[in-house]
């Protein structure tokens, strides 16, 4: 059993010693990313990409529920197209990467490697929007973008990163503003309910708003070090882009009008936010909703007849319940200590056919207590923000609660049906206590 405040992974720097190094250590130790010979870029390794796939899966379903459809725009933007919206191009000019050669031939016009896609969507809208009947258009795309950052860190800031960018166009300002606020709320709801990450919603200042936007709204999350991190943004553009690109439509009164636009986005920065919200000195901690591994089946006494068959039966039953994306079974490993130094499994005590097997494995993949960490951080770094947090969320926020409970219930019910008497415990680094769930 783990001792109180025991540090289980010595290779990870304590966050109160060097928070930046703690973050980097987790990214590397958990095998989320690797550095590359391309300066400022990273390799997102399988486990890290699996987290992003789960984020993508949940968000994409939410977008479709609100009537949005996916499209895909080109990676390259002609310089003349980028120049059409003055404020927009000035805002992104320092971060733009340019393509000047195609093969061995110099291009007649430079091509910008997409830093964002407003100009591409506008170029498309002017060809397809002619009447009020063509509106609204509710689009989203999942792509990578390039911004030539000078200082980079895994997930938080890199020269190429993955994201989703939503782009919509509407007949009236009221509709567009409503869309801007609706998608901000979708983001906040996702962070709170799926990532167990409380956020504060607000409007950006004029100096901090998105280039070319009338107004920018954002959600900010508080990290372990007491600093806020922007986790998602939603922008209202008014009709500025429509005027710059000559987009007009015939209204119900048969008069020409300029449509109003929005855009909104979330990136792989979310993975960094999850690490800095839920991680601890023992390593990576993930909310069940986006965790690639939600349960670990460890067959004890594998040499005995029927043990592996029972484990496989449980594996198939869990997969049938929709946990297949997050279940790892290890029935063929010769040594149980092959489970990554006992740092990513769950304490499980199983009883089957009258025989008991005990395997203490100090897990950190599921835990509660992050709300206490959040409040401690508020007291430490943002005293005035605590009241705003309580006003926004009250007592609704319970770290991991609904997702953990659903996973617990599924596992317990399936074990009962399969004749396996199972007891599960979760290690809680926040309090260094074990709590029996069933």
């Amino acid at each position: 059993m783990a001792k109180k405040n025991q540090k289980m992974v010595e290779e990870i720097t304590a966050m109160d010693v060097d928070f930046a190094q703690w973050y980097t250590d987790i990214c590397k130790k958990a095998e989320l990313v690797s550095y590359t010979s391309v300066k400022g870029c990273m390799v997102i390794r399988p486990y890290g990409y699996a987290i992003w796939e789960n984020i993508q899966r949940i968000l994409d379903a939410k977008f479709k529920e609100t009537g949005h459809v996916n499209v895909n725009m080109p990676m390259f933007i002609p310089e003349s197209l980028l120049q059409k919206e003055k404020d927009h191009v000035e805002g992104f000019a320092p971060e733009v990467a340019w393509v000047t050669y195609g093969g061995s031939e110099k291009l007649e016009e430079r091509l910008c490697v997409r830093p964002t896609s407003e100009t591409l969507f506008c170029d498309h809208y002017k060809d397809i929007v002619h009447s009020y009947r063509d509106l609204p258009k509710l689009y989203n795309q999942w792509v990578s973008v390039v911004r030539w950052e000078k200082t980079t860190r895994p997930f938080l800031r890199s020269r190429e990163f993955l994201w989703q960018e939503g782009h919509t166009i509407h007949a009236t300002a009221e509709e567009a503003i409503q869309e801007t606020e609706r998608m901000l709320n979708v983001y906040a709801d996702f962070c709170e309910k799926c990532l167990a990450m409380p956020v504060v919603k607000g409007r950006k200042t004029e100096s901090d708003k998105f280039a070319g936007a009338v107004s920018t709204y954002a959600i900010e999350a508080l990290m372990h070090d007491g600093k806020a991190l922007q986790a998602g943004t939603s922008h209202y553009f008014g009709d500025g882009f429509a005027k710059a690109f000559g987009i007009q439509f015939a209204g119900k009164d048969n008069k020409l009008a300029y449509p109003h636009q929005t855009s909104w986005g979330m990136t792989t920065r979310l993975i960094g936010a999850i690490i800095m919200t839920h991680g601890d000195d023992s390593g990576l901690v993930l909310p069940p909703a986006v965790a690639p591994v939600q349960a670990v089946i460890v067959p004890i006494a594998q040499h005995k007849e029927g043990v592996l068959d029972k484990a496989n039966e449980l594996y198939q039953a869990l997969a049938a319940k929709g946990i297949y994306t997050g279940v790892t079974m290890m029935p063929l490993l010769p040594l149980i200590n092959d489970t990554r130094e006992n740092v990513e499994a769950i304490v499980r005590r199983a009883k089957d056919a009258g025989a008991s097997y005990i395997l203490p494995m100090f897990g950190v993949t599921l835990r509660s207590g992050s709300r206490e960490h959040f409040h401690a951080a508020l007291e430490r770094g943002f005293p005035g923000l605590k009241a705003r947090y309580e006003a926004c969320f009250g007592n609704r926020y319970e770290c991991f609660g609904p997702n953990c409970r659903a996973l617990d219930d599924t596992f317990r019910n399936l074990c009962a049906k399969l004749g396996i008497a199972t007891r599960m415990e979760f290690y809680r680094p926040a309090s260094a206590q074990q709590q029996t769930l069933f």
Side-chain angles (χ1 to χ4, degrees):
M1 193 65 65
K3 296 179 181 179
K4 187 174 182 179
N5 298 324
Q6 177 181 345
K7 191 170 185 293
M8 292 178 289
V9 186
E10 296 300 328
E11 293 85 352
I12 296 177
T13 303
M15 67 171 72
D16 59 354
V17 173
D18 188 335
F19 189 81
Q21 189 58 50
W22 166 83
Y23 175 81
T24 302
D25 288 347
I26 287 185
C27 288
K28 294 168 66 178
K29 183 68 178 177
E31 298 181 357
L32 302 180
V33 300
S34 288
Y35 293 110
T36 77
S37 56
V38 183
K39 188 176 180 181
C41 296
M42 61 182 174
V43 172
I44 303 179
R45 300 184 65 177
Y47 202 79
Y49 197 81
I51 297 171
W52 177 244
E53 285 181 314
N54 287 334
I55 291 173
Q56 184 180 25
R57 171 180 53 81
I58 297 170
L59 278 177
D60 198 64
K62 290 181 178 293
F63 297 158
K64 288 182 169 64
E65 287 172 3
T66 50
H68 300 82
V69 294
N70 286 326
V71 299
N72 196 82
M73 292 289 166
M75 176 184 290
F76 304 112
I77 305 173
E79 185 173 12
S80 58
L81 198 64
L82 194 65
Q83 294 285 352
K84 284 195 173 184
E85 217 291 333
K86 181 181 177 182
D87 292 337
H88 188 65
V89 69
E90 287 181 356
F92 278 99
E95 300 177 343
V96 169
W98 294 99
V99 176
T100 56
Y101 276 81
S104 59
E105 297 182 4
K106 188 173 183 178
L107 301 179
E108 293 183 3
E109 181 180 15
R110 293 195 301 175
L111 297 176
C112 162
V113 182
R114 172 181 54 212
T116 184
S117 302
E118 279 74 17
T119 55
L120 291 170
F121 276 92
C122 286
D123 192 49
H124 178 57
Y125 290 150
K126 69 178 177 58
D127 293 330
I128 64 170
V129 174
H130 306 291
S131 165
Y132 71 91
R133 296 184 181 88
D134 299 324
L135 297 171
K137 299 293 185 188
L138 308 178
Y139 291 155
N140 176 68
Q141 66 172 356
W142 295 91
V143 292
S144 67
V145 292
V146 173
R147 296 180 185 177
W148 214 252
E149 302 282 0
K150 294 181 179 179
T151 304
T152 60
R153 290 183 67 191
F155 295 119
L156 300 178
R157 195 172 291 277
S158 57
R159 288 181 174 174
E160 181 186 15
F161 56 88
L162 304 177
W163 78 345
Q164 61 74 209
E165 52 176 317
H167 293 266
T168 68
I169 187 167
H170 307 263
T172 67
E174 291 74 20
E175 289 179 15
I177 293 172
Q178 184 180 22
E179 170 75 2
T180 306
E181 295 174 350
R182 175 174 70 161
M183 298 317 296
L184 185 75
N185 290 329
V186 167
Y187 286 161
D189 184 75
F190 169 71
C191 286
E192 180 189 356
K193 294 182 179 178
C194 298
L195 303 186
M197 184 170 68
V199 296
V200 173
K201 295 181 287 186
R203 180 172 175 171
K204 290 283 196 178
T205 63
E206 287 298 305
S207 61
D208 202 27
K209 68 182 182 181
F210 185 80
V214 173
S215 56
T216 289
Y217 301 86
I219 54 173
E220 304 273 345
L222 197 67
M223 304 295 101
H224 271 307
D225 61 349
K227 295 179 181 178
L229 182 73
Q230 182 175 285
T233 54
S234 187
H235 317 287
Y236 167 60
F237 290 125
D239 59 5
F241 275 92
K243 289 178 177 178
F245 282 81
I247 308 168
Q248 289 185 292
F249 69 97
K252 293 181 180 180
D253 57 2
N254 210 30
K255 294 181 180 179
L256 289 178
Y258 291 105
H260 293 250
Q261 294 173 240
T262 79
S263 77
W264 28 272
M266 274 185 159
T267 79
T268 38
R269 175 182 286 190
L270 277 178
I271 300 176
I274 292 169
I275 295 170
M276 293 192 292
T277 298
H278 299 302
D280 56 33
D281 286 345
S282 291
L284 179 67
V285 180
L286 295 174
V290 297
V293 177
Q294 294 176 320
V296 179
I297 301 173
V298 183
I300 309 302
Q302 301 180 32
H303 62 283
K304 291 190 175 182
E305 183 179 356
V307 172
L308 293 184
D309 291 339
K310 208 67 167 178
N312 186 63
E313 190 177 354
L314 178 58
Y315 175 86
Q316 298 297 335
L318 285 169
K321 289 292 184 179
I323 310 177
Y324 58 91
T325 57
V327 180
T328 295
M329 186 175 71
M330 301 169 290
L332 302 179
L333 293 179
L335 297 174
I336 287 177
N337 63 10
D338 265 350
T339 57
R340 304 259 181 123
E341 303 170 341
N342 288 348
V343 298
E344 61 176 30
I346 299 169
V347 177
R348 182 161 304 145
R349 303 181 182 188
K351 187 183 295 182
D352 186 17
S356 296
Y357 309 98
I358 299 176
L359 176 64
M361 304 180 73
F362 306 121
V364 294
T365 51
L366 300 175
R367 69 163 169 85
S368 294
S370 283
R371 185 176 185 180
E372 288 74 15
H373 280 296
F374 180 80
H375 281 298
L378 284 172
E379 294 286 359
R380 198 168 57 242
F382 288 86
L385 197 59
K386 185 175 181 179
R388 291 177 60 189
Y389 165 77
E390 291 293 352
C392 288
F393 296 100
N395 294 320
R396 293 188 298 114
Y397 178 74
E398 290 295 335
C399 179
F400 296 174
N403 287 296
C404 263
R405 185 57 58 189
L407 180 63
D408 300 340
D409 292 342
T410 300
F411 187 84
R412 178 175 55 183
N413 293 337
L414 288 173
C415 286
K417 290 180 181 179
L418 297 173
I420 303 175
T422 303
R423 180 177 161 192
M424 182 184 292
E425 295 176 352
F426 290 103
Y427 175 68
R428 294 188 171 205
S431 59
Q433 296 176 351
Q434 301 287 340
Q435 177 181 4
T436 300
L437 296 179
F438 51 85

